[in-house]
Amino acid sequence: MNRRTLLLGGCALASLAACGDSGKFITYDGPVVTQIQVFKTNRMMYLLHGDEVLKKYKIGLGGDPIGPKQFEGDGKTPEGLYYINRRNPNSAYYLSIGISYPNPQQVAYAQSQGKQAGGDIFIHGRDGKNKGLGRDWTAGCIAVKDKEIREIYAMVQDGTPIFIFP
């Protein structure tokens, strides 16, 4: 009886483990991503190794995507050269990797206008949120599908340059 209980308990635990999101973190052993290019007008993001496109993704942007981000709460996605500078495995949007916005000049400009430059700009997933709300729904971030952010999270290292074009 003890063996039977142990066996049933083990099967139950194995079943529960299979229900979890064991695929949230994947590994990548391909070419190094040397840069990310984002084209806001086309709503496309490219991961490159040198001049070779490794992956491309359709993206969602800030709720007001035209023009560069200047102030906290303006709903815009930044434009310019930044770097991937952090990761959040517990993101409210599944997984996320941080973009180094704002730079010192952007902070100084916002302050000169009596405002804050904002921050917390990420490439992130959706985690079931905001589906059906249109393509541009973030507060200034770059959104992709959850399965795509798994790839990006595995492929892109901290320090990778990201060029965000109008």
Side-chain angles (χ1 to χ4, degrees), residues 57-137:
Y57 304 95
K58 291 181 181 179
I59 59 171
L61 299 170
D64 184 9
I66 298 171
K69 183 165 195 62
Q70 294 182 308
F71 308 115
E72 183 175 55
D74 64 9
K76 297 183 182 298
T77 300
E79 295 175 1
L81 169 62
Y82 303 95
Y83 296 89
I84 300 302
N85 65 353
R86 62 199 183 280
R87 334 186 134 258
N88 184 355
N90 301 311
S91 172
Y93 298 96
Y94 195 63
L95 291 170
S96 60
I97 57 174
I99 298 171
S100 63
Y101 173 87
N103 64 37
Q105 294 81 14
Q106 290 162 322
V107 171
Y109 176 73
Q111 289 175 344
S112 76
Q113 303 300 304
K115 299 183 179 187
Q116 297 295 316
D120 284 337
I121 302 298
F122 288 86
I123 300 169
H124 61 65
R126 291 180 168 246
D127 196 29
K129 296 174 174 60
N130 301 298
K131 290 187 178 174
L133 293 181
R135 66 179 174 184
D136 297 324
W137 55 269

Side-chain angles (χ1 to χ4, degrees), residues 6 13 16-17 33 35 82 84 87 104 117 119-120 139-140 150 153 164:
L6 186 59
L13 285 175
L16 284 174
V33 174
Q35 69 175 280
Y82 303 95
I84 300 302
R87 334 186 134 258
D120 284 337
R150 280 195 299 267
Y153 198 90
I164 305 175

